[in-house]
């Protein structure tokens, strides 16, 4: 996607980044690594599938490699793709996670003989090596055992699979005795989803809610506590299963919208507006603490899905207009405490006139704006502002309603300010820095176009700092941070302004421009160590473990993956988490899981 600021005649129709539902999206909310498409393996066509010897479709090497890059063994990916059939990318990811949790098949761990040579699939420029991927006997070679072929497995391996399922369900929060009873009822070969439904069916029959109601009871997202059947539906949606003996599929799906609060004030604000308590599910409790951000007005079902992958934690939806003079509707999922929060001081101005008092002199009485809309990655052209000037100059004072309506529409869309008689202009980069909570000249030294793009993709520092403020007293000697999709360092600036020392920061950011901005700020303000990585896909489990051993673990994993395919106005590529860029969310999920698992093991 090309990012630019144009002076062309049609620039006022240009696509821009926004979290407003009627706007047009321009770029990501935070840059990430090279695009990882969450490939839909059902999609026909030679780029996705290759016909095998039976005329059936097998996965392309590129499709397989994308999931291998996410940390799954190649043979496991092939097996999951076959078993998943036409259920889509989301179902495939959950199946891979289940396989990885159980992870006992010797064909996947020990590299036993198979009809497909994994190395050949990697090294080949075509997909010929995958032609016979689902034959029972290719070329006279017998296939190694898979998850569905247990006839040749001995008793010990069979028991290890059972233990793996039990451990997996216990980690999800189910009581071990109930899990064992479900295995007895459903059999040792029962799938995870069948076992989950069996546990819930037993709990419902006994009037017990089990551990499914660990979540807080509040108005965010519409979840309610203490009703067993709602917990059943939630878990069934997660695993795609159905209780044995049930008469048909349950109502509801992952496409259900998560209800956004009005006003969008999160769990609490500095002025005391709204207060909420919550109890986190056991697996979500640190270490480390984690914090994830993205646009609030995402496509239907996206936040439900994000929450489901991040321990079913309730998102905290906040509009930054409660912290500064510009709106920025964002959702945050985190395991931070909610008490002892404190705002950054001095408090930033919350109206346009407080932030830029010089504009008041020229502000017409018929322009009712007191705050800006979400700050974007591009700005209005000079030709547009000239058209507005001419329309006002050629009108009486006050101008006709139709002229007022036209001018106000453009001013709201482009966040224009009054800088003279009948004269409007876009915000300058340093004014955007001020509104977003960054120090003066934070992005200075790069082109104006790059400054607008980088700032439009950043955190609003005061909002994020309010949430992170609970960490100050917890880490008096400093902390180690894994910063994913760092952008221009919004998280780092927030921690610095809170007075929290950063001993180590591992920063992952694709944009060289953004890395330059962060490095320059770091060298001027910090004494800790900054380690930069350019591609989130290269941060493997092995590298994570090496960093953890080197620095002693991470205290915070923070970041917001790209919103290109989520922003409210991306009419052409608003594909949700399956989109080319926004699928990078799954790397946040993968890396967080690796960090938690490695730190728990070491």
């Amino acid at each position: 996607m090309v990012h630019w600021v144009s002076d062309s005649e049609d620039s006022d129709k240009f696509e821009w980044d926004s979290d407003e539902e009627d706007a047009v999206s321009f770029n990501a909310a935070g840059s990430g690594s090279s695009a990882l498409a969450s490939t839909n393996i059902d999609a026909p066509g030679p780029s996705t599938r290759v016909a095998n010897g039976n005329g059936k479709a097998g996965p392309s090497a590129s499709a397989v490699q994308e999931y291998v890059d996410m940390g799954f063994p190649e043979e496991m990916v092939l097996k999951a793709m076959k078993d998943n059939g036409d259920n889509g990318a989301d179902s495939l990811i959950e199946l891979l996670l289940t396989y990885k949790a159980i992870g006992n098949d010797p064909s996947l761990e020990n590299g036993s003989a198979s009809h497909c040579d994994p190395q050949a699939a990697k090294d080949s420029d075509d997909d010929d090596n995958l032609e016979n991927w689902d034959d029972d006997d290719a070329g006279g070679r017998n296939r190694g055992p898979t998850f569905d072929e247990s006839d040749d497995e001995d008793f010990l391996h069979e028991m290890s699979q059972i233990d793996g399922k039990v451990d997996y369900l216990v980690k999800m929060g189910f009581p071990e005795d109930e899990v064992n009873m479900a295995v007895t009822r459903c059999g040792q070969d029962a799938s995870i989803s069948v076992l989950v439904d069996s546990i819930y069916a037993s709990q419902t029959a006994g009037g017990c809610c089990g551990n499914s109601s660990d979540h807080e009871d509040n108005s965010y997202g519409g979840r309610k506590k203490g009703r067993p059947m709602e917990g059943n539906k939630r878990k069934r949606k997660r695993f795609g299963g159905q209780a044995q003996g049930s008469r048909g599929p349950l109502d509801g799906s992952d496409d259900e919208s998560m209800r956004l609060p009005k006003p969008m004030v999160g769990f609490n604000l500095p002025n005391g507006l709204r207060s909420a308590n919550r109890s986190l599910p056991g697996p979500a409790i640190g270490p480390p603490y984690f914090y994830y951000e993205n646009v609030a007005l995402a496509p239907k079902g996206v936040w439900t899905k994000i929450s489901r992958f991040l321990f079913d934690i309730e998102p905290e939806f906040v509009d930054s207009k409660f912290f500064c003079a510009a709106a920025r509707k964002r959702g945050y999922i985190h395991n931070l405490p909610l008490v002892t929060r404190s705002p950054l001081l001095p408090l930033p101005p919350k109206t346009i006139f407080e932030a830029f008092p010089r504009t008041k002199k020229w502000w017409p009485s018929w322009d009712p704006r007191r705050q800006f809309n979400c700050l974007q990655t591009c700005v209005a052209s000079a030709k547009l502002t000239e058209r507005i000037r001419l329309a006002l100059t050629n009108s009486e004072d006050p101008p006709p309603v139709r002229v007022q309506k036209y001018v106000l529409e453009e001013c709201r869309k482009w966040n224009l300010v009054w800088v003279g008689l009948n004269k409007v202009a876009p915000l300058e980069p340093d004014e955007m820095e001020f509104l977003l909570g960054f120090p003066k000249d934070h992005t200075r030294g790069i082109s104006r176009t790059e400054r607008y793009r980088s700032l439009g993709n950043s955190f609003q520092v005061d909002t994020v700092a309010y949430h992170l403020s609970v960490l100050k007293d917890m880490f008096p000697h400093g902390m180690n941070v894994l910063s994913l999709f760092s952008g221009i360092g919004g998280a780092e600036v927030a921690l610095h302004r809170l007075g929290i020392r950063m001993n180590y920061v591992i920063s992952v950011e694709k944009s060289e421009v953004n890395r330059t901005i962060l490095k320059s700020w770091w060298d001027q303000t910090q004494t800790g160590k900054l380690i930069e990585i350019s591609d989130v896909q290269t941060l493997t489990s092995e590298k994570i473990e090496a960093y953890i051993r080197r620095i002693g673990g991470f205290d915070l994993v923070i970041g917001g993956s790209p919103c290109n395919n989520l922003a409210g106005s991306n009419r052409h590529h608003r594909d949700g988490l399956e989109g080319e860029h926004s699928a990078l969310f799954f790397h946040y999920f993968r890396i967080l899981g690796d960090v938690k698992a490695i730190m728990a093991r070491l």
Side-chain angles (χ1 to χ4, degrees):
M1 182 179 293
V2 179
H3 308 271
W4 61 309
V5 181
S6 171
D7 289 333
S8 69
E9 188 70 23
D10 296 327
S11 66
D12 52 320
K13 299 178 182 178
F14 199 75
E15 293 187 356
W16 79 102
D17 202 13
S18 176
D19 48 8
E20 300 296 333
E21 289 186 324
D22 58 348
V24 183
S25 176
F26 183 76
N27 192 15
S31 50
S33 73
S34 59
L36 167 71
S38 183
T39 306
N40 183 351
I41 61 172
D42 326 320
S47 63
T48 306
R49 291 191 155 202
V50 180
N52 62 23
N54 295 328
K56 297 180 181 179
S60 69
S62 60
V64 174
Q65 188 61 40
E66 286 169 356
Y67 292 96
V68 171
D69 291 341
M70 293 176 68
F72 299 107
E74 182 170 1
E75 196 165 346
M76 181 183 287
V77 173
L78 291 172
K79 171 61 185 166
M81 285 181 167
K82 178 183 176 184
D83 292 349
N84 188 59
D86 295 329
N87 290 327
D90 289 342
S91 176
L92 175 61
I93 289 174
E94 288 200 359
L95 189 59
L96 285 167
L97 293 172
T98 302
Y99 283 177
K100 193 171 184 180
I102 299 174
N104 297 318
D105 195 324
S107 70
L108 302 182
E109 292 184 355
N110 302 326
S112 60
S114 172
H115 67 294
C116 174
D117 181 359
Q119 189 60 42
K122 288 182 182 178
D123 296 339
S124 174
D125 291 333
D126 54 38
D127 296 317
D128 292 339
N129 294 291
L130 300 177
E131 281 185 341
N132 300 310
W133 80 293
D134 60 354
D135 288 346
D136 288 334
D137 188 357
R141 288 175 291 170
N142 293 326
R143 297 179 61 188
T146 68
F147 285 101
D148 293 331
E149 299 170 330
S150 58
D151 292 341
D152 297 330
E153 295 175 346
D154 59 19
F155 175 77
L156 291 177
H157 179 59
E158 195 171 287
M159 291 306 297
S160 67
Q161 283 190 314
I162 297 170
D163 291 342
K165 293 179 182 179
V166 171
D167 290 344
Y168 184 68
L169 291 170
V170 169
K171 288 178 181 178
M172 285 171 50
F174 295 106
E176 186 172 358
D177 57 341
E178 295 186 19
V179 174
N180 288 324
M181 289 176 64
V183 172
T184 301
R185 285 193 299 268
C186 303
Q188 298 172 354
D189 295 330
S191 67
I192 290 288
S193 61
V194 169
L195 292 175
V196 168
D197 284 330
S198 177
I199 295 170
Y200 271 120
S202 176
Q203 291 176 348
T204 302
C208 172
C209 296
N211 291 347
S212 64
S213 59
D214 284 341
H215 302 277
E216 59 196 319
D217 180 13
N218 59 51
S219 62
Y220 298 99
R223 294 183 184 173
K224 300 296 181 183
K225 180 177 178 181
R227 295 180 62 183
M229 287 308 297
E230 290 192 13
N232 292 357
K233 292 179 182 179
R234 194 159 63 242
K235 289 297 182 183
R236 288 191 183 101
K237 284 189 293 181
R238 177 169 184 168
F239 295 100
Q242 183 175 320
Q244 290 192 342
S246 61
R247 288 171 288 182
L250 293 163
D251 295 333
S253 70
D254 285 341
D255 288 335
E256 291 179 349
S257 294
M258 183 169 285
R259 183 160 54 91
L260 299 179
K262 294 183 179 181
M264 200 176 288
V265 297
F267 295 144
N268 57 51
L269 286 179
N271 61 7
L273 179 61
R274 191 183 295 275
S275 179
N277 296 314
R278 65 173 179 175
S279 58
L280 294 170
I285 298 174
Y289 288 105
F290 63 88
Y291 188 89
Y292 175 80
E293 178 260 14
N294 218 312
V295 293
L297 299 176
K300 183 179 180 181
V302 165
W303 275 106
T304 300
K305 189 178 301 181
I306 292 174
S307 173
R308 179 160 50 89
F309 273 93
L310 296 180
F311 307 99
D312 279 329
I313 294 178
E314 198 74 49
E316 180 169 15
F317 294 108
V318 184
D319 190 336
S320 292
K321 71 179 183 180
F322 297 104
F323 289 87
C324 69
R328 205 173 194 80
K329 298 179 176 69
R330 295 293 186 265
Y332 305 90
I333 291 183
H334 59 83
N335 63 348
L336 297 167
L338 304 183
V339 296
T340 69
R341 287 175 165 181
S342 58
L344 285 175
L345 297 176
L347 295 175
K350 294 184 177 59
T351 67
I352 295 173
F353 294 156
E354 291 172 342
F356 308 118
R358 288 183 299 177
T359 65
K360 191 171 184 178
K361 176 181 179 181
W362 306 108
W363 209 273
S365 59
W366 45 267
D367 184 347
R369 291 178 298 150
R370 294 298 177 264
Q371 289 187 309
F372 296 109
N373 284 329
C374 186
L375 304 180
Q376 314 301 339
T377 57
C378 59
V379 297
S381 69
K383 290 187 177 180
L384 172 63
T385 57
E386 176 63 11
R387 283 200 298 269
I388 291 174
R389 188 189 69 81
L390 291 175
L392 294 172
T393 300
N394 295 331
S395 300
E396 56 188 16
D397 186 20
V401 173
R402 61 177 179 81
V403 175
Q404 292 183 26
K405 184 177 180 181
Y406 162 71
V407 172
L408 283 175
E409 183 177 314
E410 298 300 330
C411 286
R412 287 191 174 105
K413 178 193 289 187
W414 296 102
N415 285 318
L416 302 176
V417 293
W418 297 93
V419 295
L421 181 62
N422 297 330
K423 184 179 180 182
V424 292
L427 291 166
E428 292 294 321
D430 60 327
E431 293 173 325
M432 286 182 63
E433 288 174 347
F434 176 66
L435 291 169
L436 292 169
F438 288 94
K440 183 175 173 57
D441 296 331
H442 184 73
T443 59
R444 193 169 181 178
I446 61 175
S447 71
R448 285 172 59 87
T449 301
E450 294 286 0
R451 292 183 75 183
Y452 284 123
R453 185 193 311 170
S454 297
L455 288 163
N457 287 329
S458 70
F459 285 156
Q460 203 289 320
V461 172
D462 298 272
T463 307
V464 172
Y466 178 64
H467 297 158
L468 300 180
S469 62
V470 298
L471 300 173
K472 183 173 182 178
D473 293 335
M474 299 169 62
F475 296 96
H477 303 296
M479 61 193 307
N480 298 332
V481 180
L482 177 55
S483 177
L484 304 176
F485 315 103
S486 300
I488 58 175
E492 291 79 0
V493 171
L495 291 169
H496 172 68
R497 291 190 59 193
L498 286 167
I500 299 176
R501 171 181 164 78
M502 289 165 279
N503 298 323
Y504 283 93
V505 169
I506 311 296
S507 169
V508 186
E509 169 57 39
K510 178 186 177 182
S511 166
E512 184 177 357
V513 170
N514 289 345
R515 293 200 305 272
T516 299
I517 293 171
L518 175 57
K519 184 66 165 61
S520 175
W521 172 84
W522 184 276
D523 290 342
Q524 296 176 60
T525 61
Q526 304 301 302
T527 58
K529 177 71 173 177
L530 174 68
I531 301 173
E532 295 184 293
I533 300 173
S534 62
D535 190 342
V536 70
Q537 296 177 90
T538 66
L539 187 57
T540 62
S541 179
E542 292 76 16
K543 289 183 179 179
I544 292 171
E545 181 167 347
Y547 283 125
I548 289 175
R549 290 183 180 276
R550 173 180 173 183
I551 69 178
F554 292 107
D555 303 304
L556 176 66
V557 179
I558 189 168
S561 56
C563 75
N564 295 53
N565 311 113
L566 306 183
S569 52
N570 193 338
R571 306 302 185 194
H572 303 293
H573 303 288
R574 198 177 188 221
D575 303 321
L577 294 179
E578 289 73 35
E580 182 180 8
H581 302 283
S582 295
L584 289 168
F585 159 75
F586 294 109
H587 280 292
Y588 181 96
F589 163 73
R590 169 185 66 83
I591 291 168
L592 175 61
D594 285 344
V595 170
K596 288 179 70 68
I598 293 167
M599 289 180 61
R601 173 166 50 84
L602 295 180

